[in-house]
Each structure stands twice: as structure tokens, then as C-alpha cells.
Amino acid sequence: MWNSISRRDRLNLMADSYLRTTLLALESGELDLDEACRRLSGWPHERLPFATIDHRREERTGLPEVVFCEGKTPLQAAAIAERIWRRSGRLLATRAEVDHAAAIAAAVPGAVHNPIARTVSAGRPERPTGGPVLVITAGTGDQPVAEEALETLRMFGRPVETAIDVGVAGIDRILERAAGIAAAAAVVVVAGMDGALASVVGGLARGPVIAVPTSVGYGASFQGLAALLTMLNSCAPGVVVVNIDNGFGAGVAAARASASGRREVEDGMERAAGGLDA
């Protein structure tokens, strides 16, 4: 029945639910008047001098607005992060440098900085949902982008596993992972240089493959452009491509692709149990 309701009607129902929940909590005494006013005063958009925060994003997309720290001062990033956390109980900030992370940690209780991914997160779901996602890197140098994808998937509550440094320069390394690739509801492939790993994985995976070109490589890789073009021209069906170094975008795509559950995962594991078929 929910799928038969228009998008506009869905958003109106969500808005009505938020208002009703807040007012009922006020009536029952769970909230005092000041807290109820605070919740409603900035809803659905909270306007700051330097940002307009979309507090309905989680209702629409499943994840609250994410703070992109690059280009923001640490105090700006922390102010936005604190308001998102206070409203939703969850937070993900990307491209966070050390100063950003320190300012956010001072404003958000329990915030965790991942310096490799350059993310700050708080309020991850306690129990994984959806189908399992496998994140693969061609080389160790691609790991920062992969970590950003992993942090994003964890914030969506997806069960995730990794396979690091299994690029095509040693093709047996990725072939050893064939069973796990076939069993995944979605696979994120992170690769720089020639970006060929995405095509190989595309020929092994049952679920969608989200390819992430990285800026890792020598001069003629053109900061990831060579990998991007290789991935866009993949002959393996089912490979989709996000922008260069966009681990966050890949994580969101994989989370959505795996949201429907295990989607024949058990069947995929059974088929893959014998390894590669001739």
C-alpha cells in the first residue's frame, strides 16, 4: 500500500508523524515546552548564517544530511554537525581534517574520527540490516576512499566485509574471492591506475557492482581520469560508476542496492561454493 502513495503524500505523512510525535510527547510530559519549541522551530529547514540544514532528509533518503567539511571552517562544520546530531541522533561528516574532527568531537557526544577515511561519525545503528556488501580495493593506496565507503555503509547499518589489495596485477588474488563476490548483495570496487579491477569483479558478481575510480597512479592516470574512463567502458554488465574518489557516493549507492534484504544471497553462496565454474 505504501508504494501506491505518491511521493508528495509520503512526505506529508512523514511531516504529520513528526509533528504529532512531538506534540504527543509534550502532552504526556516526555518533553517540556522549551524542548518542544526547539524541535519545531527549525523544522523542516534550520537556517544558519552559513548553511540551511535539511532536517527531513532522513525521512526521504534513510540517512540524515551529511556534513561535507571541505571548504568549511571547523566551527562551521561543528555547528552544522551538532544540530544534525541533536535532531536525528546520527551524524556522518566527510572530508574532515584533524581540526574539523576536533571541533565536531567537542560538539557531538561520542563522535568517532576515522583519520584514514577522513570521516567523523556518531550514532551508528546497533544491528545490521539489508544484504551484505563487499568493499574491494585494487591496492592499499585506494584504502582511504574505500574507508569512506565503509563508514557510509556502517551509518546505513549494512553488514560489510572488505578485501584489500587484490588488484589485477596479481589476478589470482581476486579470483580467490569469487565465492564472497557472488554472495554479496552489492560490491563496491575501489581502484586507481588502469581501473581494470571493476570489469573483473563485474564478471563474477551476482549483485550490482559500484565502481569507484581513485586518483592513485602515475602521471598518465590523470588523477583518476584513466580509471574513470576504463570503468565507464567496462564490458562487464551491471557495473555502475561514481565520481573520482567518491567513496561516500559509492557507499550510499551500495546501501540502497542492498536494502531489500539478502536477495538470493544464500543461493549465491551455494552456487559459488565450488569456486569458478568452467
Side-chain angles (χ1 to χ4, degrees):
M1 180 178 178
W2 181 254
N3 291 332
S4 66
I5 301 174
S6 70
R7 181 180 181 83
R8 177 176 293 180
D9 287 341
R10 289 188 196 185
L11 294 177
N12 287 336
L13 286 171
M14 291 175 180
D16 183 65
S17 175
Y18 183 84
L19 293 172
R20 286 177 180 273
T21 300
T22 303
L23 293 175
L24 285 171
L26 174 64
E27 184 181 40
S28 68
E30 294 178 32
L31 294 179
D32 61 25
L33 180 60
D34 290 340
E35 176 64 14
C37 289
R38 185 194 62 74
R39 285 194 180 189
L40 297 176
S41 63
W43 186 88
H45 299 123
E46 185 173 1
R47 291 173 174 82
L48 304 178
F50 46 83
T52 300
I53 305 172
D54 177 10
H55 287 302
R56 292 183 66 182
R57 189 172 302 238
E58 183 170 14
E59 296 170 352
R60 299 193 310 270
T61 69
L63 188 68
E65 188 159 21
V66 173
V67 185
F68 182 74
C69 294
E70 191 172 301
K72 295 180 176 68
T73 68
L75 290 179
Q76 287 174 338
I80 298 168
E82 189 272 336
R83 285 162 171 79
I84 292 171
W85 162 259
R86 188 173 62 187
R87 187 61 58 90
S88 69
R90 287 204 287 169
L91 170 71
L92 177 62
T94 64
R95 299 300 171 94
E97 302 300 339
V98 173
D99 290 345
H100 293 118
I104 293 172
V108 176
V112 177
H113 179 211
N114 182 332
I116 298 176
R118 291 193 293 166
T119 61
V120 182
S121 61
R124 291 179 185 174
E126 293 182 4
R127 296 182 179 178
T129 59
V133 179
L134 178 62
V135 178
I136 299 173
T137 75
T140 305
D142 301 308
Q143 192 168 356
V145 178
E147 283 286 331
E148 187 180 65
L150 285 166
E151 289 292 332
T152 304
L153 286 159
R154 289 166 183 152
M155 287 304 298
F156 272 100
R158 297 292 177 265
V160 292
E161 294 184 4
T162 59
I164 305 299
D165 192 24
V166 292
V168 299
I171 193 67
D172 56 307
R173 298 178 299 180
I174 191 62
L175 297 181
E176 289 175 351
R177 305 279 185 158
I181 292 169
V187 184
V188 176
V189 181
V190 185
M193 296 195 177
D194 59 5
L197 182 62
S199 289
V200 175
V201 173
L204 300 172
R206 294 174 58 82
V209 175
I210 297 94
V212 192
T214 74
S215 51
V216 172
Y218 292 106
S221 66
F222 298 107
Q223 291 78 51
L225 181 60
L228 172 66
L229 293 176
T230 297
M231 291 170 173
L232 287 171
N233 285 286
S234 174
C235 63
V239 175
V240 295
V241 187
V242 299
N243 208 344
I244 297 168
D245 292 335
N246 188 6
F248 167 69
V252 172
R256 290 176 175 172
S258 62
S260 60
R262 305 198 68 84
R263 291 179 32 220
E264 298 183 332
V265 167
E266 289 81 3
D267 180 55
M269 293 178 67
E270 184 176 323
R271 289 172 180 266
L276 293 174
D277 294 329

